[in-house]
Amino acid sequence: MTGVISPPKETEQVVGKPINRVDGRLKVMGAAHYAAEIEQENIAHAVLIQSTIAKGRIKDIDTSEAEKAPGVLAVLTHRNAPKLNQTEGSFFSGKPGEKLVPLQSDEVFYDGQHIGVVIAETFEQAKHAASLVHVSYEEEKPTVEIEQGLSQAYQPKDFFGQELQVQRGDVAKAIAQAEVKIEQTYTTPIEHHNPMEPSASIAVWNENQLTVYDATQWVIGTRNIVAYTLGIPEENVRIISHFVGGGFGCKGYTWWHTILAAVAARLVGRPVKLVLMRQQMFTSCGHRPPTIQQLTLSATRDGKLTAIRHTTTSQTAEVDEFVEPCGLTTRILYATPNLEVAHNLVRVNTGTPTFMRAPGEAPGTFALESALDELAYELGIDPVELRIINHADVNPETGKPWSSKYLKECYQIGAERFGWSRRNPTPGSMRDGDCLIGWGMATATYPGYRSPASAKAQLFADGRVVVSSGTHDLGTGTYTIMTQIAADALGLPVEQIEFKLGESSMPLAPLAGGSQSAASVAPAVQGAAEELRSRMIRLAIDDELSPLYRAAQEAISTENGRVFLKNEPSRGETYAEILQRNNLPILEVEAIANTAASESQQNSDNKVVRICVGKNENSDWQQYAFQSFGAQFAEVRVHPHLGQVHVTRFVSAIDVGRILNHKTARSQILGGVTFGLGMALMEETVLDQQSGRLVVRNLADYHVPVHADIGDIDVIFIDKPDPHISKMGVRGVGEIGITGVAAAVANAIYHATGKRIRDLPITPDKLL
Ligand code: MOS
């Protein structure tokens, strides 16, 4: 036998594989350090003092006793706090979560507003001293609920550039001529994000350089806002956020506690740690505002929608504006010639609302998808069938084709997996012993956002590869999927790639919100890694000392850190050998994806190349509509005497383009559905109508689902690449999981009981 070397197998792609989280071991060992866990020598602790009225003025704030308490280093109030800059800019140009700058005046606009900071040697000392600060107020009557402020309602203009008041066709005429009509009001309460990890900041000054370890969804945004409000250059501020224990939107904006931590640290000349207590998570980093949604659907007898009118009234703070854009999805979900979407806002005395878990889509699809179910019953048409009848083949607002859409497949595959065809549509027709069983469904949808992003790939002379980008892993799996992409692009096993993220000094990446991180950052990581690989191959080809000297590019393959000839695998060398022979300690490439910049640049020492990937995709961006879709199916078991609802089975069939890792993507949908079940059945923050104070402000009263609340959740992905969003073909997975869930559950409850509950959460009292 001669020594025949078999040709290398086409290297197996690791992208798509359900590999374990690369940071999983760190997490289970407690070695993944979250913001509040970063060790700092000589650290001091800050505790916030918050108002206990919802509107009025601070008459007196007596800090003398607190100042004398053991361990206290300083007490800040509006009387001695430094001036901080207020910005009128937008979210993207550096606006904090709330415009109101704390500790600048004696005015109080909501319960829980920051009115002081105590800094002490220990957390316990700071907390104790905070209790010794005596505040007296001049109290005014607050506006607490939407209904109280309706006469002052106004129409906000846009939601981050998207029109909020939209009309097409003639809605009034279509509704007047309707063969069948549904006209109902749906309401949702205040909800809070409640990530496991509370918001936390550790601020460390070194001369005029500030480092903040922060629980944030956007290191770059946080850097810009901290710099602006403190009035220092951006290059003097560094934000680090290697691990985040869930954000769900409440860590998207930068909130004032982070800035106050920096102020406190500068004041006492020591590192300062400030962690929001669970109760403060209910007042100091946003919430989902309550909504009142009026929906009118008109249709022909055979189920064709002739008009949709969706009017949302929600609330914002007296001190800032945020809109829950419930109707934006309604514009595009179904094909209807006549449409009217309106949004109204009422100012109330609460903290400023913010993005929360599919802002707009989550409550919006509850209303729209409940109404569709009501229409299906009115018409006697199967709810899945009704949605297929009204399927939007193109974006109904712009007429643009979808970049890729597999919603019909989601309905079909989801229905099959669920066993939908066995459903008897009559309410109350399905029982198991005493319990009523109900099956309901709804459509899921979320936009396919993508923003400019960049990444750097570095190969070191010892063969190690480090890839970095200033993006985030909120528990979503970013570390893992980016490692997989780099491994494939570089022909290396995942173990040899180190992916780094979460530092403002790293290549720019967008906010980890809007479910856009995978879609935005993946092409940059892929671009940087591929360019690094091809530069390395060129080094070998051009080097007469290389066994690959003058080989053809196409004849070359890479695997396991080695470059070799495809049909003569023994002829080749390792990446490390190439660099070492060329006396290159490092080969480095930075890629910018989806940017207007057109020129690739190369710097003088030839070590850093910035390439622009995704240039052509910009034209795709104009041509297509990018949106993810899915179908949610729920089975509920309702106790007829207790009104208790258990969601026993759930099927979620989702199209988000290509799946980079089936395990982490599935976890995203499991989390999203779990949010949706919480929204459907439990989550609600209540304010006292007289005082405007929060009645619900801890996890004993604010119920989020626990394991015992969750039945079987079956996740199915279509897993077909979106050919227009990027070469990777991936849209985001994060938020779509929650959309449609509350409606699917409410529809199932109707099917079980014949009771249509239009007010979330569906607690037992509403079913009795
Ligand atoms: Mo998400 S609510 O856009 O963080």
Side-chain angles (χ1 to χ4, degrees):
M1 283 283 285
T2 47
V4 180
I5 302 168
S6 58
K9 287 170 287 177
E10 200 47 52
T11 314
E12 250 194 274
Q13 294 262 304
V14 65
V15 164
K17 292 244 163 63
I19 68 163
N20 290 335
R21 286 168 194 272
V22 297
D23 51 336
R25 189 180 152 80
L26 282 181
K27 285 187 170 172
V28 296
M29 289 174 63
H33 295 298
Y34 293 75
E37 299 176 316
I38 305 296
E39 298 275 350
Q40 287 293 325
E41 254 179 62
N42 198 27
I43 198 164
H45 298 260
V47 163
L48 294 162
I49 306 168
Q50 302 189 318
S51 75
T52 56
I53 64 162
K55 189 174 170 65
R57 274 174 193 286
I58 298 168
K59 216 157 50 187
D60 187 40
I61 183 159
D62 179 2
T63 57
S64 53
E65 202 183 335
E67 278 157 20
K68 283 182 246 142
V72 170
L73 300 167
V75 182
L76 278 171
T77 69
H78 69 277
R79 294 192 172 148
N80 61 348
K83 290 285 160 259
L84 296 166
N85 292 330
Q86 180 178 37
T87 165
E88 290 293 320
S90 75
F91 177 50
F92 298 103
S93 66
K95 178 194 159 308
E98 184 164 283
K99 266 198 282 192
L100 177 76
V101 186
L103 311 191
Q104 308 288 302
S105 88
D106 60 359
E107 285 177 298
V108 175
F109 299 95
Y110 61 89
D111 176 37
Q113 181 183 319
H114 304 322
I115 57 170
V117 188
V118 178
I119 308 122
E121 293 288 344
T122 70
F123 168 72
E124 289 75 13
Q125 288 171 331
K127 198 172 173 212
H128 174 63
S131 75
L132 303 176
V133 173
H134 304 291
V135 191
S136 59
Y137 300 95
E138 247 165 58
E139 214 173 328
E140 288 167 48
K141 177 117 190 71
T143 307
V144 182
E145 307 228 303
I146 294 178
E147 288 82 355
Q148 298 169 345
L150 271 185
S151 60
Q152 309 285 318
Y154 69 100
Q155 291 204 319
K157 206 179 145 286
D158 69 328
F159 180 75
F160 300 93
Q162 296 189 73
E163 264 312 308
L164 285 166
Q165 322 298 341
V166 181
Q167 289 196 15
R168 63 173 184 257
D170 189 339
V171 170
K173 189 169 151 207
I175 290 173
Q177 296 172 351
E179 291 172 23
V180 182
K181 192 169 76 172
I182 295 291
E183 197 162 11
Q184 290 295 349
T185 300
Y186 305 85
T187 51
T188 65
I190 297 177
E191 293 161 0
H192 277 88
H193 312 74
N194 276 310
M196 287 268 246
E197 178 208 26
S199 297
S201 309
I202 292 179
V204 187
W205 289 89
N206 193 344
E207 304 289 319
N208 58 358
Q209 302 284 317
L210 171 65
T211 303
V212 184
Y213 300 89
D214 196 39
T216 174
Q217 292 174 231
W218 198 18
V219 281
I220 307 292
T222 302
R223 179 198 63 191
N224 296 350
I225 291 164
V226 168
Y228 185 86
T229 51
L230 295 178
I232 59 176
E234 279 170 11
E235 51 274 24
N236 288 12
V237 180
R238 199 163 150 233
I239 309 295
I240 298 178
S241 189
H242 292 154
F243 294 96
V244 175
F248 319 135
C250 75
K251 295 165 184 168
Y253 271 107
T254 300
W255 299 86
W256 285 99
H257 63 270
T258 300
I259 297 147
L260 291 174
V263 168
R266 190 165 56 183
L267 180 72
V268 300
R270 289 167 60 171
V272 164
K273 183 197 291 201
L274 197 163
V275 183
L276 292 189
M277 285 175 249
R278 182 56 64 181
Q279 285 126 319
Q280 295 171 337
M281 291 296 290
F282 283 78
T283 52
S284 309
C285 52
H287 58 272
R288 195 200 302 279
T291 69
I292 301 172
Q293 301 177 59
Q294 293 163 300
L295 254 161
T296 309
L297 304 179
S298 71
T300 60
R301 266 274 146 231
D302 53 5
K304 244 350 262 125
L305 283 168
T306 55
I308 305 177
R309 177 186 278 150
H310 189 173
T311 304
T312 302
T313 304
S314 72
Q315 68 186 33
T316 188
E318 196 175 319
V319 294
D320 205 345
E321 183 177 288
F322 181 88
V323 189
E324 185 75 19
C326 296
L328 291 185
T329 293
T330 307
R331 294 172 308 167
I332 53 99
L333 197 48
Y334 298 108
T336 177
N338 305 298
L339 175 117
E340 188 183 302
V341 162
H343 292 86
N344 303 316
L345 270 184
V346 169
R347 291 200 187 274
V348 296
N349 293 102
T350 65
T352 306
T354 199
F355 317 107
M356 174 168 159
R357 310 178 193 153
E361 290 85 5
T365 53
F366 164 64
L368 178 61
E369 292 297 297
S370 293
L372 253 287
D373 199 67
E374 300 203 44
L375 182 63
Y377 272 98
E378 191 69 31
L379 293 164
I381 295 178
D382 177 82
V384 176
E385 185 53 34
L386 180 63
R387 285 163 174 87
I388 291 170
I389 291 171
N390 292 290
H391 182 267
D393 298 332
V394 295
N395 180 311
E397 189 174 59
T398 61
K400 288 182 186 176
W402 304 106
S403 59
S404 73
K405 180 176 182 178
Y406 297 99
L407 178 55
K408 286 180 181 168
E409 287 81 350
C410 291
Y411 292 137
Q412 187 208 330
I413 296 169
E416 263 167 34
R417 186 73 67 91
F418 189 82
W420 186 258
S421 62
R422 298 194 306 273
R423 178 178 182 262
N424 174 348
T426 309
S429 61
M430 292 166 68
R431 278 173 183 269
D432 179 16
D434 267 356
C435 280
L436 300 161
I437 307 294
W439 291 359
M441 61 80 58
T443 307
T445 188
Y446 193 80
Y449 292 126
R450 184 182 166 195
S451 297
S454 47
K456 182 157 67 183
Q458 299 168 302
L459 171 68
F460 293 91
D462 59 4
R464 262 182 323 127
V465 168
V466 174
V467 182
S468 58
S469 173
T471 182
H472 295 269
D473 192 326
L474 315 174
T476 44
T478 314
Y479 275 115
T480 310
I481 58 174
M482 297 306 160
T483 301
Q484 289 173 276
I485 292 164
D488 280 353
L490 279 160
L492 280 170
V494 289
E495 296 75 25
Q496 283 181 39
I497 307 276
E498 188 186 358
F499 184 75
K500 294 184 168 179
L501 55 68
E503 296 188 23
S504 59
S505 54
M506 289 174 175
L508 296 190
L511 159 80
S515 303
Q516 64 174 341
S517 290
S520 307
V521 181
V525 167
Q526 186 186 40
E530 282 180 347
E531 177 66 14
L532 183 63
R533 175 183 178 274
S534 71
R535 284 180 54 78
M536 196 170 46
I537 291 173
R538 263 180 269 135
L539 272 177
I541 292 173
D542 294 344
D543 182 355
E544 53 189 28
L545 296 176
S546 167
L548 298 169
Y549 182 51
R550 289 190 172 164
Q553 281 256 14
E554 318 78 63
I556 289 177
S557 189
T558 51
E559 200 179 294
N560 256 321
R562 211 173 146 268
V563 193
F564 54 91
L565 284 183
K566 270 183 211 159
N567 54 13
E568 194 187 341
S570 63
R571 219 178 111 193
E573 57 182 336
T574 65
Y575 300 174
E577 282 167 337
I578 296 174
L579 261 66
Q580 284 165 18
R581 196 177 52 247
N582 283 282
N583 282 324
L584 286 172
I586 182 175
L587 195 59
E588 181 172 307
V589 176
E590 187 169 330
I592 308 166
N594 193 19
T595 163
S598 55
E599 292 299 309
S600 295
Q601 313 158 352
Q602 200 159 313
N603 75 351
S604 50
D605 65 2
N606 203 24
K607 280 180 202 146
V608 182
V609 169
R610 297 163 69 87
I611 55 153
C612 175
V613 297
K615 241 194 305 173
N616 302 332
E617 292 151 10
N618 285 331
S619 58
D620 283 19
W621 200 255
Q622 301 301 323
Q623 254 172 281
Y624 293 94
F626 296 84
Q627 185 85 15
S628 290
F629 295 95
Q632 314 276 30
F633 294 84
E635 176 184 273
V636 298
R637 196 184 164 86
V638 184
H639 195 286
H641 308 306
L642 302 176
Q644 206 179 30
V645 178
H646 191 61
V647 179
T648 41
R649 282 197 305 133
F650 204 94
V651 172
S652 187
I654 301 286
D655 165 33
V656 284
R658 184 181 186 187
I659 298 300
L660 300 178
N661 180 322
H662 276 269
K663 187 179 279 183
T664 54
R666 176 174 173 270
S667 292
Q668 290 278 284
I669 300 299
L670 292 181
V673 170
T674 304
F675 289 156
L677 298 179
M679 180 180 181
L681 301 172
M682 302 170 192
E683 296 184 48
E684 178 174 26
T685 300
V686 178
L687 303 186
D688 178 70
Q689 298 199 19
Q690 293 304 313
S691 67
R693 297 207 64 198
L694 277 91
V695 175
V696 168
R697 60 190 312 170
N698 57 47
L699 290 173
D701 297 326
Y702 190 94
H703 296 167
V704 293
V706 298
H707 279 290
D709 295 313
I710 301 302
D712 183 50
I713 302 174
D714 197 352
V715 179
I716 305 155
F717 288 115
I718 300 293
D719 194 11
K720 291 214 174 87
D722 181 328
H724 301 292
I725 194 157
S726 69
K727 200 167 82 179
M728 289 301 307
V730 55
R731 294 192 301 266
V733 195
E735 282 154 285
I736 189 171
I738 188 175
T739 67
V741 175
V745 171
N747 297 342
I749 289 172
Y750 175 76
H751 180 229
T753 64
K755 286 184 184 144
R756 180 65 68 180
I757 310 298
R758 303 184 183 89
D759 175 44
L760 294 184
I762 306 174
T763 43
D765 53 300
K766 296 176 188 169
L767 288 169
L768 295 176

